[in-house]
């Protein structure tokens, strides 16, 4: 009955996603305009695994061939009907919930602690973005194999049966092929060994981490190559190390707050305008994180690597590839989807505290159980409401603008929807608002070119596209309109 309850908690809060459409945000790159996945054949399957594909670009410059393969199979079955894509996201999320339960059991948690961690993982509103957005198949799929690798490795350490180690390495490879964020797996496995009081000296005698570390280094190199080749990396973002560290520290405390009180979520959290107050908040966050890490390190040295340092270091390590500390392609401050794997650390810590609170002696135990049940239902209700936000591009960007008025990303998203629906005057108004908010945002100029093309004003389209390219427009954003303009000029 408790496992059935986990299945319901994993599924019901995301039911609105089953009625959702494809979005104009990344879904064209992965599905609707990713034409090579529309042709299921040995040639196209081989092409999605190439670092330099011939039949279409790597979506967003991020090497995720296994994710593309699952989308290709779904397209083969239902075409561009979104329901199966959404259903499979939900089913993978449900599998991840059970894997979180198994992971906690392998970490020697009792049934109540493991169940509550999995239940909180199932319903947490920060997970809506990963589950309800088709493009984030890479998130839930990566987590699936990441968790299988963790459970298999821990089972191998318990049984010393080599087939479980082989399964862990293979699952780690599948996680990396789903999303490069899985490069943190070897570090997280080391944290698990430390938590289970296995000395690091064992790794020198039998270096079990070497295959995992080798795969992670390989995929770091692959990611750098694809992000560089597709113009995703920006030198200014990567080079400003001091500011990146400050922002990453701020993000840590943002996630702490949203873990406990996940309201007011937005698909877009902009980098705040630099002011004295913002700089002070960055500095406070940096010193807070530095003090926390130093304190937990000292605590671990004196008393052993226990739950508190394990949970927090799990979160920090797993988040590193998508933190501002490694700002590859990040155009915003933070995103809900970054929480999906790292958040397990925070949720197991929270569940531990709640279980011990419930078990305190006294006559109010039933009320404490009811309070925890209400927390789960409250989070589930928030997730249900947030899933409705992700129904269409219009509902998504309208919700963002309520949270972040005049956000250029949201205005551009609504403008693109209006262009596709031939509501050209509305699109023009949205783009004018976007330019007022950020005159140098290259995506806005590219959309102005698309709008001019749709109106038949080809000289204006060429002029706006040139403006976008002068502002370092990514080839992924400008290639389609550029190709149309070249074709109209006779250069097919």
């Amino acid at each position: 009955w408790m496992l059935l309850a986990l299945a319901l908690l994993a599924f019901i809060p995301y039911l609105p996603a089953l009625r959702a459409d494809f979005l104009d945000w990344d879904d064209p790159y992965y599905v609707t305009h990713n034409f090579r996945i529309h042709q299921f054949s040995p040639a196209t399957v081989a092409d999605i695994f190439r670092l330099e594909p011939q039949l279409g670009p790597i979506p967003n410059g991020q090497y995720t061939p296994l994710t593309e393969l699952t989308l290709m199979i779904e397209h083969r079955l239902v075409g561009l009907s979104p329901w199966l894509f959404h259903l499979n996201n939900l089913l993978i999320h449900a599998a991840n919930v059970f894997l979180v339960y198994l992971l906690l059991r392998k970490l020697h948690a009792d049934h109540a602690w493991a169940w509550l961690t999995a239940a909180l993982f199932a319903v947490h509103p920060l997970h809506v973005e990963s589950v309800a957005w088709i493009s984030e198949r890479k998130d839930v799929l990566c987590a699936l194999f990441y968790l299988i690798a963790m459970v298999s490795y821990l089972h191998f350490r318990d049984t010393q049966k080599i087939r479980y180690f082989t399964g862990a390495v293979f699952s780690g490879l599948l996680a990396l092929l789903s999303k490069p964020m899985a490069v943190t797996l070897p570090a997280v496995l080391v944290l698990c060994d430390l938590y289970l009081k296995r000395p690091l000296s064992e790794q020198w005698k039998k270096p079990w981490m070497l295959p995992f570390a080798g795969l992670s280094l390989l995929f770091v190199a692959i990611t750098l190559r694809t992000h560089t080749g597709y113009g995703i990396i920006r030198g200014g973002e990567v080079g400003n190390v001091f500011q990146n560290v400050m922002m990453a520290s701020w993000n840590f405390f943002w996630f702490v707050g949203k873990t406990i009180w996940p309201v007011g979520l937005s698909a877009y959290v902009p980098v705040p305008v630099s002011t004295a107050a913002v700089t002070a908040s960055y500095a406070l966050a940096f010193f807070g994180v530095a003090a926390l890490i130093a304190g937990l390190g000292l605590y671990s040295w004196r008393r052993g690597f226990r739950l508190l340092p394990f949970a927090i270091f799990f979160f920090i390590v797993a988040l590193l590839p998508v933190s501002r500390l490694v700002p590859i392609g990040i155009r915003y401050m933070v995103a809900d989807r970054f929480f999906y794997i790292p958040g397990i650390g925070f949720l197991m810590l929270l569940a531990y505290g709640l279980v011990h609170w419930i078990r305190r002696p006294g006559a109010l135990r039933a009320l404490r159980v009811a309070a925890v049940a209400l927390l789960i239902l409250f989070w589930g209700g928030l997730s249900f409401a947030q899933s409705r936000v992700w129904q269409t591009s219009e509902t998504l960007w309208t919700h963002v603008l309520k949270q972040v008025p005049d956000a250029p990303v949201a205005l551009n998203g609504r403008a693109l929807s209006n262009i596709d629906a031939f509501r050209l005057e509305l699109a023009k108004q949205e783009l004018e608002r976007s330019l007022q908010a950020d005159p140098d945002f290259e995506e806005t100029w590219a959309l102005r070119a698309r709008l001019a093309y749709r109106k038949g004003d080809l000289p204006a389209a060429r002029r706006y596209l040139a403006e976008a390219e002068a502002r370092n427009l990514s080839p992924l954003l400008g290639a389609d309109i550029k190709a149309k303009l070249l074709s109209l000029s006779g250069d097919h």
Side-chain angles (χ1 to χ4, degrees):
W1 286 108
M2 300 304 283
L3 294 178
L4 176 60
L6 282 182
L8 294 174
L9 290 172
F11 211 81
I12 291 176
Y14 307 95
L15 283 177
L18 293 177
R19 301 190 301 273
D21 205 345
F22 291 107
L23 303 177
D24 290 331
W25 193 22
D26 283 4
D27 285 352
Y29 297 142
Y30 284 92
V31 185
T32 58
H33 290 68
N34 186 0
F35 299 117
R36 64 178 176 173
I37 77 160
H38 297 179
Q39 307 297 325
F40 187 65
S41 69
T44 52
V45 170
D47 195 64
I48 63 176
F49 283 88
R50 292 192 180 103
L51 290 178
E52 295 182 1
Q54 284 104 50
L55 304 178
I58 296 175
N60 280 350
Q62 192 172 70
Y63 186 66
T64 56
L66 189 59
T67 296
E68 283 192 84
L69 180 60
T70 65
L71 299 172
M72 179 186 285
I73 293 170
E74 288 161 333
H75 183 273
R76 176 71 172 177
L77 294 173
V78 298
L80 290 178
S81 180
W83 69 268
L84 183 61
F85 297 87
H86 285 296
L87 175 62
N88 285 337
N89 270 21
L90 266 67
L91 292 175
I92 296 170
H93 174 65
N96 291 339
V97 170
F98 288 110
L99 285 168
V100 168
Y101 174 83
L102 289 176
L103 173 63
L104 267 289
R105 294 292 290 150
K106 298 307 293 183
L107 291 172
H108 300 171
D110 63 22
H111 286 289
W113 180 14
W115 186 90
L116 186 54
T117 303
L120 296 177
F121 179 88
V123 301
H124 202 285
L126 282 174
H127 290 166
V128 172
E129 188 168 301
S130 295
V131 179
W133 187 9
I134 291 173
S135 290
E136 282 310 305
R137 167 67 54 78
K138 55 186 181 288
D139 222 18
V140 292
L141 194 65
C142 174
L144 176 74
F145 295 115
Y146 196 102
L147 291 167
I148 290 174
M150 291 186 70
V151 171
S152 299
Y153 174 79
L154 293 173
H155 195 61
F156 157 73
R157 295 288 273 156
D158 290 337
T159 64
Q160 293 298 304
K161 293 180 179 178
I162 199 67
R163 64 176 180 269
Y164 294 112
F165 178 75
T166 304
V169 174
F170 183 63
S171 298
L173 173 61
L174 296 180
L176 287 162
L177 290 170
S178 302
K179 188 177 183 180
M181 184 178 177
V183 295
T184 60
L185 179 60
V188 167
L189 293 179
V190 170
L191 292 177
C192 291
D193 278 342
L194 290 173
Y195 176 66
L196 296 173
K197 297 180 173 58
R198 294 166 181 156
L200 285 179
S201 58
E202 291 183 12
Q203 291 292 341
W204 294 106
K205 298 174 183 177
K206 295 181 179 180
W208 301 116
M209 285 301 118
L210 281 181
F212 298 103
L215 286 172
S216 291
L217 289 173
L218 173 63
F219 275 81
V220 166
I222 289 173
T223 303
L224 287 172
R225 175 178 175 176
T226 57
H227 278 61
T228 302
Y230 282 84
I232 305 299
I233 292 179
R234 294 182 177 184
E237 289 179 333
V238 177
N240 199 343
V241 177
F242 179 74
Q243 184 177 358
N244 293 339
V245 171
M246 294 291 187
M247 288 182 173
S249 302
W250 186 92
N251 289 349
F252 173 85
F253 288 105
W254 185 91
F255 277 118
V256 171
K258 291 300 182 182
T259 299
I260 299 169
W261 189 245
V263 299
L265 300 181
S266 173
Y268 175 67
V269 180
V271 176
V273 177
S274 182
T275 63
V278 169
T279 303
S281 69
Y282 287 169
L284 286 173
F286 170 74
F287 287 117
V289 170
L292 180 65
I293 292 174
L296 290 175
L298 181 62
Y299 174 89
S300 302
W301 181 62
R302 289 184 171 180
R303 303 187 60 183
F305 197 70
R306 299 188 178 184
L307 173 62
L308 182 63
F310 171 75
I312 292 177
F313 284 135
F314 182 107
F315 176 83
I316 291 173
V317 169
L319 185 72
L320 279 178
V322 289
S323 70
R324 292 290 311 196
L325 197 62
V326 186
I328 297 178
I330 295 176
R331 304 289 183 263
Y332 33 82
M333 194 66 179
V334 69
D336 297 358
R337 60 187 179 276
F338 298 164
F339 184 78
Y340 196 77
I341 294 175
I344 295 170
F346 281 168
L347 294 177
M348 70 181 293
L349 187 61
L350 178 60
Y352 177 85
L354 291 173
V355 167
H356 277 260
W357 179 60
I358 289 172
R359 287 172 173 168
R360 285 175 54 189
L364 299 178
R365 179 174 293 182
L367 287 177
R368 292 195 289 268
V369 171
V372 173
L374 284 174
L375 173 66
I376 294 172
L377 292 175
F378 175 60
W379 282 5
L382 290 176
S383 292
F384 189 90
Q386 190 70 7
S387 296
R388 298 179 66 183
V389 168
W390 289 82
Q391 292 280 295
T392 65
S393 299
E394 185 72 20
T395 58
L396 176 65
W397 297 123
T398 299
H399 181 265
V400 169
L401 288 170
K402 289 179 181 178
Q403 305 290 327
V404 190
D406 291 326
V409 169
L411 291 168
N412 289 349
R414 287 213 309 202
L416 180 58
S417 297
N418 287 325
I419 291 172
D420 291 341
F422 282 89
R423 297 190 293 263
L424 304 185
E425 191 57 37
L426 286 174
K428 179 183 176 182
Q429 294 172 13
E430 303 284 13
L431 292 176
E432 287 175 350
R433 287 178 61 193
S434 182
L435 280 175
Q436 289 175 1
D438 184 357
D440 293 320
F441 191 22
E442 67 276 10
E443 183 184 276
T444 310
W445 288 97
L447 287 172
R448 292 190 81 185
R450 185 189 293 265
L451 176 61
Y453 171 83
R454 185 60 61 89
K455 288 182 172 181
D457 189 351
L458 303 187
R462 293 189 182 94
R463 188 169 65 253
Y464 293 146
L465 184 59
E467 290 277 2
E469 291 176 330
R471 291 167 169 78
N472 298 319
L473 178 71
S474 166
L476 286 169
L477 290 173
D480 59 341
I481 183 66
K482 192 171 187 177
K484 292 173 181 175
L485 292 173
L486 287 170
S487 182
L488 285 173
S489 65
D491 188 356
H492 303 298

